[in-house]
Amino acid sequence: MDKEKMKYIKKKLNPSEFKKICDLSQGKFSSIYLVEKTSTRKLLVAKVFNKNDMIVQNCKHRISWELKILSNLDSPYFPSFIGTSQTSRTFTIYMEYFPGGDFYYWEKRIGDTSPKTSQFYMSQLVIILDKLHSQNIVYRDLKPENIILHIDGYLRLVDFGSAIALPSFTSKTYSITGTPEFSAPEIILNHGHSIAADFWSLGVMIYEFISKENPFYEKDPIISYSRIAKGQIFFPKGFPSQAKDIVRKLMVVTPKKRLGVLSNGIDGVKEHAFFKGTDWDDMANKNVKAPLRPKLDSLRDTRYFSKYKIPKHELIEVKPSEDPFIIW
């Protein structure tokens, strides 16, 4: 999908239609709540932005891209876009709620890292990237905290605050975004990046799922950045050989030499020995039995989310003449 042709599909809602149930998490630019639409009792996620903060930090473009991408995605691996509402102080995006908890919670508890289990989860990330990249969308922040393990046992990618659509498959963007420990060298060094950056992050995800540790975490972030820039990876003893090989090929410092952007594209990832035996059609259609499913008493059971209290923030009224969000 051409960056210039991607249009935001508007769905305006009234904020009075929703009742807050609880806090879910705090993002860098937003607060995330579980809300109920009072007329239907349907549970939704409300992502609330402080308008004044977004204007002061010159980050309003992030909301623009999130709206364009979220409202154009159509896949069971992404949340449905419900709509938006706004006041003079806040702008809110409503989307489908998945009660299973984020993958950061689960990856530490999934003790089975056998090839079959690793393939099950990591192949879904490949399918997700394939869907995004087919529309020239580079995600730029692939990490466990942005992935939910839904009650069907399958993954959902839920945060598109760092995503952007590029004019073409080979185009680059130069904005610095994402989470350092999952970011490719070209993002850290501001050399310009494209979809190749997402394949680096996939390598980090595979490493972390199997080892339960991030390959670049250091107490001193300067050391982390240095190791990322050099592609310096240390594998723990017993790390599976096929997993080690795909991680090394995904985490090549030179983007154009990275698995996923070579001549055979993402098929090169799918055909790697790490994914041997994966039925990609069955995975895409969710016909493979999930290794585990989160157990819930009801859809209102939030046990798999951290008990988090979002701090109160001062909300400053934005005058209509100074409000860039009104057009949305």
Side-chain angles (χ1 to χ4, degrees), residues 26-27 30-31 33 48 50 53 308 310-316:
Q26 178 79 58
S30 60
S31 300
Y33 304 97
V48 183
N50 182 321
D53 282 355
Y308 188 84
I310 295 174
K312 293 289 184 181
H313 297 285
E314 181 182 5
L315 296 174
I316 300 173

Side-chain angles (χ1 to χ4, degrees), residues 275-319:
F275 289 113
K276 184 179 180 180
T278 298
D279 187 316
W280 292 97
D281 288 335
D282 278 349
M283 284 303 307
N285 294 319
K286 301 185 179 179
N287 292 329
V288 180
K289 185 179 179 181
L292 68 87
R293 295 187 178 193
K295 295 180 180 179
L296 298 167
D297 293 334
S298 72
L299 294 181
R300 293 172 179 267
D301 185 347
T302 59
R303 72 177 74 180
Y304 300 119
F305 291 91
S306 300
K307 302 305 179 201
Y308 188 84
K309 186 66 177 175
I310 295 174
K312 293 289 184 181
H313 297 285
E314 181 182 5
L315 296 174
I316 300 173
E317 186 169 354
V318 177
K319 297 177 181 178

Side-chain angles (χ1 to χ4, degrees), residues 61-327:
H61 62 282
R62 294 176 65 97
I63 299 178
S64 174
W65 273 116
E66 186 162 7
L67 287 172
K68 288 177 182 178
I69 292 169
L70 188 59
S71 66
N72 278 279
L73 287 175
D74 181 21
S75 167
Y77 281 101
F78 308 124
S80 297
F81 171 66
I82 307 301
T84 66
S85 71
Q86 56 181 302
T87 67
S88 59
R89 294 176 170 83
T90 62
F91 185 89
T92 303
I93 299 175
Y94 300 94
M95 64 195 88
E96 186 178 3
Y97 169 58
F98 304 122
D102 67 47
F103 200 55
Y104 179 79
Y105 172 93
W106 286 106
E107 73 169 2
K108 307 299 181 186
R109 291 164 172 79
I110 298 174
D112 178 11
T113 57
S114 65
K116 185 177 180 180
T117 301
S118 299
Q119 285 176 10
F120 178 82
Y121 293 111
M122 298 302 108
S123 64
Q124 292 176 68
L125 299 184
V126 176
I127 292 168
I128 285 168
L129 291 183
D130 195 6
K131 179 67 174 178
L132 294 175
H133 294 171
S134 70
Q135 296 178 266
N136 294 335
I137 297 169
V138 54
Y139 185 69
R140 306 196 293 180
D141 200 19
L142 188 66
K143 61 180 181 179
E145 292 89 339
N146 287 343
I147 301 164
I148 297 291
L149 182 65
H150 194 29
I151 53 176
D152 62 2
Y154 280 76
L155 305 180
R156 305 292 195 278
L157 191 67
V158 295
D159 190 334
F160 295 87
S162 294
I164 188 171
L166 301 178
S168 71
F169 190 79
T170 56
S171 299
K172 289 184 179 181
T173 180
Y174 287 82
S175 53
I176 298 177
T177 189
T179 304
E181 289 85 357
F182 291 86
S183 294
E186 60 268 28
I187 294 180
I188 297 292
L189 299 171
N190 199 21
H191 288 169
H193 57 277
S194 65
I195 64 165
D198 287 340
F199 288 111
W200 173 282
S201 301
L202 175 63
V204 179
M205 288 290 299
I206 293 173
Y207 181 106
E208 186 169 296
F209 178 77
I210 293 172
S211 71
K212 309 305 179 187
E213 295 180 352
N214 186 281
F216 298 114
Y217 175 76
E218 299 282 354
K219 289 182 179 180
D220 183 347
I222 300 301
I223 297 176
S224 293
Y225 298 155
S226 175
R227 289 185 52 211
I228 292 169
K230 297 174 184 175
Q232 195 176 60
I233 314 165
F234 304 113
F235 292 95
K237 186 177 181 180
F239 200 91
S241 59
Q242 292 177 347
K244 188 182 295 185
D245 186 71
I246 195 172
V247 167
R248 281 178 170 154
K249 289 177 177 176
L250 288 167
M251 298 171 70
V252 174
V253 171
T254 304
K256 65 181 181 181
K257 296 181 179 180
R258 203 169 290 159
L259 188 65
V261 294
L262 301 176
S263 59
N264 54 349
I266 200 165
D267 286 341
V269 179
K270 293 181 178 180
E271 293 165 2
H272 190 277
F274 176 77
F275 289 113
K276 184 179 180 180
T278 298
D279 187 316
W280 292 97
D281 288 335
D282 278 349
M283 284 303 307
N285 294 319
K286 301 185 179 179
N287 292 329
V288 180
K289 185 179 179 181
L292 68 87
R293 295 187 178 193
K295 295 180 180 179
L296 298 167
D297 293 334
S298 72
L299 294 181
R300 293 172 179 267
D301 185 347
T302 59
R303 72 177 74 180
Y304 300 119
F305 291 91
S306 300
K307 302 305 179 201
Y308 188 84
K309 186 66 177 175
I310 295 174
K312 293 289 184 181
H313 297 285
E314 181 182 5
L315 296 174
I316 300 173
E317 186 169 354
V318 177
K319 297 177 181 178
S321 60
E322 301 171 357
D323 190 344
F325 303 95
I326 287 180
I327 60 171

